[in-house]
Amino acid sequence: MLEDAETNALKSNQPEIPPLRLDGGDDSSEAESKVYLSDLGKGLGCVVQTRDGGYLAATNPLDTVVSRKDTPKLAMQLSKPLVLQTDKSINGFELFQRMASIGFEELCSQILSLMPLDELLGKTAEQVAFEGIASAIIQGRDKEGASSSAARTIAAVKTMATATSAGRKERISTGIWNVNEIPLTAEEILAFSLQKIEAMAIEALKIQSEMAEEEAPFDVSPLAGNASTDSGKDQNHPLASTISLEDWIKNYSLASPGNPATIAIAVVVQLRDPIRRYEAVGGPVVALVHATQADIEEDNYDEEKKFKVTSLHMGGMKARSGRKRNTWDSERQRLTAMHWLVEYGHGKTGKKGRHVLSKRQDLLWSISSRIMADMWLKPMRNPDVKFTE
């Protein structure tokens, strides 16, 4: 069963130029093998699921036509997604401000505890894919049945693979980032946002390597909530009541009267170099996809909630106070980010982070992009949040 799942089910249907054959056969025509996203490995598409429920996706930050058989220049690993049920009045940047209220070390620890990343260094894409489908089957035996779990995993991977290619050719040729604003189920929100996460992850690399052209406009303090326990812990902290996307869909996905839902899908993102045995490039970052519930017709409250993505936010940590750098911010991560950017022509230095380098406090930096008039806007640098402890 595992062999069948690996060989037959993980062939994603990413579109080609012209459209890709879905039977997995080799085409003799060179023109028919040209795509914008290479396969991760033999018999695989451009996305596979990892054993921890996250994803590994091929990327193409160079926006060039490639062969399906080419090794991708960069891949993007995403953790298993979590849902943050947020107040409509709180935007993504404010969520980062609230996260920073618990302190540098505690925030670093909580994020990687809630959204851990499987170590991929030294593995092949085929091995990652096999471990992913095997894990889904094993975990599904006691819940929905092994075959149902495998089928759900395969469907999720195909959705992700299709989304990574949808509209990419038009975006590259026109320079305009149009989006299809058909309302999405909660399960489709992350897939819809993948291409923008990929693009913003490159901007994050520039910040991590201190090669960003845009500096933070100013600094702000963390934003603490109003409610706290006797121990002083903030109960309004965004990570205090997270829920897995799977559980949210099971318990909260049906539409209901009252205030429309607003959610943020959170994932940890780590870029990796397939050419260097999936070595990490730069450090991990947190991506928050904000979505608001689409209008519900009065008679359709028993249907699944549908959403429209409104914005995407990405942030990471900088250790500046003399503290020992950790998983989120190390010299090795800065160098791997810089080397990749320079090697592939993204290494243009602007002001080279003079503003950041002069600071002596630990920081949470972030960038944000919004959808307006059915188009993604250019990412903008937010103020840095200064950790107070």
CSV table of all heavy atoms in Angstrom, one decimal, residues 19 49-50 56 71-72 81 100 138 144 146 149 172-173 220 228 240 258 289 332 341 343 365 374 386:
chain,number,residue,atom,x,y,z
A,19,PRO,N,0.2,22.3,-21.2
A,19,PRO,CA,-0.1,21.6,-20.0
A,19,PRO,C,0.6,20.2,-19.9
A,19,PRO,O,0.8,19.5,-20.9
A,19,PRO,CB,-1.6,21.3,-20.2
A,19,PRO,CG,-2.1,22.5,-21.0
A,19,PRO,CD,-1.0,22.8,-21.9
A,49,GLN,N,4.3,16.2,1.0
A,49,GLN,CA,4.0,16.4,2.4
A,49,GLN,C,5.1,15.8,3.3
A,49,GLN,O,5.6,14.7,2.9
A,49,GLN,CB,2.7,15.8,2.8
A,49,GLN,CG,2.3,16.2,4.3
A,49,GLN,CD,0.8,15.8,4.6
A,49,GLN,OE1,0.5,14.7,4.6
A,49,GLN,NE2,0.0,16.8,4.8
A,50,THR,N,5.5,16.5,4.3
A,50,THR,CA,6.6,15.9,5.2
A,50,THR,C,5.9,15.1,6.3
A,50,THR,O,4.7,15.1,6.5
A,50,THR,CB,7.4,17.1,5.9
A,50,THR,OG1,6.5,18.0,6.5
A,50,THR,CG2,8.2,17.9,4.8
A,56,LEU,N,6.9,20.4,1.7
A,56,LEU,CA,8.2,20.8,1.0
A,56,LEU,C,7.8,21.1,-0.4
A,56,LEU,O,7.2,20.3,-1.1
A,56,LEU,CB,9.2,19.7,1.1
A,56,LEU,CG,10.5,20.0,0.3
A,56,LEU,CD1,11.3,21.1,1.1
A,56,LEU,CD2,11.4,18.8,0.2
A,71,THR,N,16.9,20.2,-11.0
A,71,THR,CA,16.9,20.3,-9.6
A,71,THR,C,16.5,21.8,-9.2
A,71,THR,O,17.2,22.7,-9.7
A,71,THR,CB,18.2,20.0,-8.9
A,71,THR,OG1,18.6,18.6,-9.3
A,71,THR,CG2,18.2,20.1,-7.4
A,72,PRO,N,15.5,22.0,-8.4
A,72,PRO,CA,15.1,23.4,-8.1
A,72,PRO,C,16.3,24.1,-7.4
A,72,PRO,O,17.1,23.5,-6.7
A,72,PRO,CB,14.0,23.2,-7.1
A,72,PRO,CG,13.4,21.8,-7.4
A,72,PRO,CD,14.6,21.0,-7.8
A,81,PRO,N,0.2,23.7,9.5
A,81,PRO,CA,-0.4,25.0,9.8
A,81,PRO,C,-1.3,25.0,11.1
A,81,PRO,O,-1.9,24.0,11.5
A,81,PRO,CB,-1.3,25.3,8.6
A,81,PRO,CG,-1.6,23.9,8.0
A,81,PRO,CD,-0.4,23.1,8.3
A,100,ALA,N,5.5,39.4,20.8
A,100,ALA,CA,6.7,39.9,21.4
A,100,ALA,C,6.6,40.2,22.9
A,100,ALA,O,7.6,40.3,23.6
A,100,ALA,CB,7.2,41.1,20.7
A,138,ILE,N,-0.1,5.8,8.8
A,138,ILE,CA,0.0,5.3,10.2
A,138,ILE,C,-0.9,6.0,11.2
A,138,ILE,O,-1.6,5.5,12.0
A,138,ILE,CB,1.5,5.3,10.6
A,138,ILE,CG1,2.3,4.3,9.8
A,138,ILE,CG2,1.6,4.9,12.1
A,138,ILE,CD1,3.8,4.4,10.0
A,144,GLU,N,-9.5,7.8,10.9
A,144,GLU,CA,-10.4,7.7,9.7
A,144,GLU,C,-10.1,6.5,8.9
A,144,GLU,O,-10.8,6.3,7.9
A,144,GLU,CB,-10.3,9.0,8.9
A,144,GLU,CG,-8.8,9.3,8.5
A,144,GLU,CD,-8.7,10.7,7.8
A,144,GLU,OE1,-9.7,11.2,7.3
A,144,GLU,OE2,-7.6,11.3,7.9
A,146,ALA,N,-6.6,4.1,7.3
A,146,ALA,CA,-5.4,4.4,6.5
A,146,ALA,C,-5.6,4.9,5.1
A,146,ALA,O,-5.0,5.9,4.7
A,146,ALA,CB,-4.5,3.2,6.5
A,149,SER,N,-7.0,8.5,5.2
A,149,SER,CA,-5.9,9.5,5.5
A,149,SER,C,-5.0,9.7,4.4
A,149,SER,O,-4.6,10.8,4.1
A,149,SER,CB,-5.2,8.9,6.8
A,149,SER,OG,-4.2,9.8,7.1
A,172,ILE,N,4.5,36.6,-14.2
A,172,ILE,CA,5.8,36.9,-14.6
A,172,ILE,C,5.9,37.7,-15.9
A,172,ILE,O,6.7,38.6,-16.1
A,172,ILE,CB,6.6,35.5,-14.8
A,172,ILE,CG1,6.8,34.8,-13.4
A,172,ILE,CG2,7.9,35.7,-15.5
A,172,ILE,CD1,7.3,33.4,-13.5
A,173,SER,N,5.0,37.4,-16.8
A,173,SER,CA,5.0,38.1,-18.1
A,173,SER,C,4.4,39.5,-18.1
A,173,SER,O,4.9,40.4,-18.8
A,173,SER,CB,4.2,37.2,-19.2
A,173,SER,OG,2.8,37.1,-18.8
A,220,VAL,N,9.0,50.0,17.8
A,220,VAL,CA,7.8,50.1,18.7
A,220,VAL,C,8.0,49.1,19.8
A,220,VAL,O,8.8,48.2,19.7
A,220,VAL,CB,6.5,49.8,18.0
A,220,VAL,CG1,6.2,50.8,16.9
A,220,VAL,CG2,6.5,48.4,17.3
A,228,SER,N,-4.8,38.8,32.2
A,228,SER,CA,-3.7,38.0,32.7
A,228,SER,C,-4.0,37.1,33.8
A,228,SER,O,-5.0,37.4,34.5
A,228,SER,CB,-2.5,38.9,33.0
A,228,SER,OG,-2.8,39.7,34.1
A,240,ALA,N,-1.6,31.6,22.8
A,240,ALA,CA,-2.1,31.0,24.0
A,240,ALA,C,-3.3,30.0,23.6
A,240,ALA,O,-3.5,29.1,24.4
A,240,ALA,CB,-2.6,32.0,25.0
A,258,GLY,N,-24.3,35.6,13.4
A,258,GLY,CA,-23.4,36.4,14.3
A,258,GLY,C,-22.3,37.1,13.5
A,258,GLY,O,-22.3,37.2,12.3
A,289,VAL,N,-1.2,34.3,7.5
A,289,VAL,CA,-2.1,34.7,6.4
A,289,VAL,C,-3.5,35.1,7.1
A,289,VAL,O,-4.1,34.3,7.7
A,289,VAL,CB,-2.4,33.5,5.5
A,289,VAL,CG1,-3.2,33.9,4.3
A,289,VAL,CG2,-1.0,32.9,5.0
A,332,ARG,N,25.7,31.6,11.0
A,332,ARG,CA,25.6,30.6,9.8
A,332,ARG,C,24.4,30.9,9.0
A,332,ARG,O,24.5,30.9,7.7
A,332,ARG,CB,25.6,29.2,10.4
A,332,ARG,CG,25.4,28.2,9.3
A,332,ARG,CD,25.4,26.7,9.8
A,332,ARG,NE,25.2,25.8,8.7
A,332,ARG,CZ,26.1,25.3,7.9
A,332,ARG,NH1,27.3,25.8,8.0
A,332,ARG,NH2,25.8,24.5,7.0
A,341,LEU,N,21.8,34.5,-2.0
A,341,LEU,CA,21.3,35.7,-2.7
A,341,LEU,C,22.4,36.2,-3.7
A,341,LEU,O,22.0,36.6,-4.8
A,341,LEU,CB,21.0,36.8,-1.6
A,341,LEU,CG,19.8,36.6,-0.8
A,341,LEU,CD1,19.8,37.6,0.4
A,341,LEU,CD2,18.5,36.8,-1.6
A,343,GLU,N,24.8,34.4,-5.1
A,343,GLU,CA,25.0,33.4,-6.1
A,343,GLU,C,24.0,33.5,-7.2
A,343,GLU,O,24.3,33.3,-8.4
A,343,GLU,CB,25.0,32.0,-5.5
A,343,GLU,CG,25.2,30.9,-6.5
A,343,GLU,CD,25.3,29.5,-5.9
A,343,GLU,OE1,25.2,29.4,-4.6
A,343,GLU,OE2,25.5,28.5,-6.6
A,365,TRP,N,11.5,41.7,13.5
A,365,TRP,CA,11.2,42.4,12.3
A,365,TRP,C,10.1,41.8,11.5
A,365,TRP,O,9.8,40.6,11.7
A,365,TRP,CB,12.5,42.4,11.4
A,365,TRP,CG,13.0,41.1,11.1
A,365,TRP,CD1,14.0,40.4,11.7
A,365,TRP,CD2,12.5,40.2,10.0
A,365,TRP,NE1,14.2,39.1,11.1
A,365,TRP,CE2,13.3,39.0,10.1
A,365,TRP,CE3,11.6,40.3,9.0
A,365,TRP,CZ2,13.1,38.0,9.2
A,365,TRP,CZ3,11.3,39.3,8.1
A,365,TRP,CH2,12.1,38.1,8.2
A,374,ASP,N,-8.2,43.0,-5.9
A,374,ASP,CA,-7.9,41.7,-6.5
A,374,ASP,C,-6.4,41.6,-6.9
A,374,ASP,O,-6.1,40.9,-7.9
A,374,ASP,CB,-8.8,41.2,-7.6
A,374,ASP,CG,-10.2,41.0,-7.1
A,374,ASP,OD1,-10.4,40.9,-5.9
A,374,ASP,OD2,-11.1,40.9,-8.0
A,386,LYS,N,10.7,46.0,19.7
A,386,LYS,CA,11.8,45.8,20.6
A,386,LYS,C,11.4,44.9,21.7
A,386,LYS,O,10.4,45.2,22.4
A,386,LYS,CB,12.3,47.1,21.2
A,386,LYS,CG,12.8,48.1,20.2
A,386,LYS,CD,13.2,49.4,20.9
A,386,LYS,CE,12.0,50.1,21.5
A,386,LYS,NZ,12.4,51.4,22.2
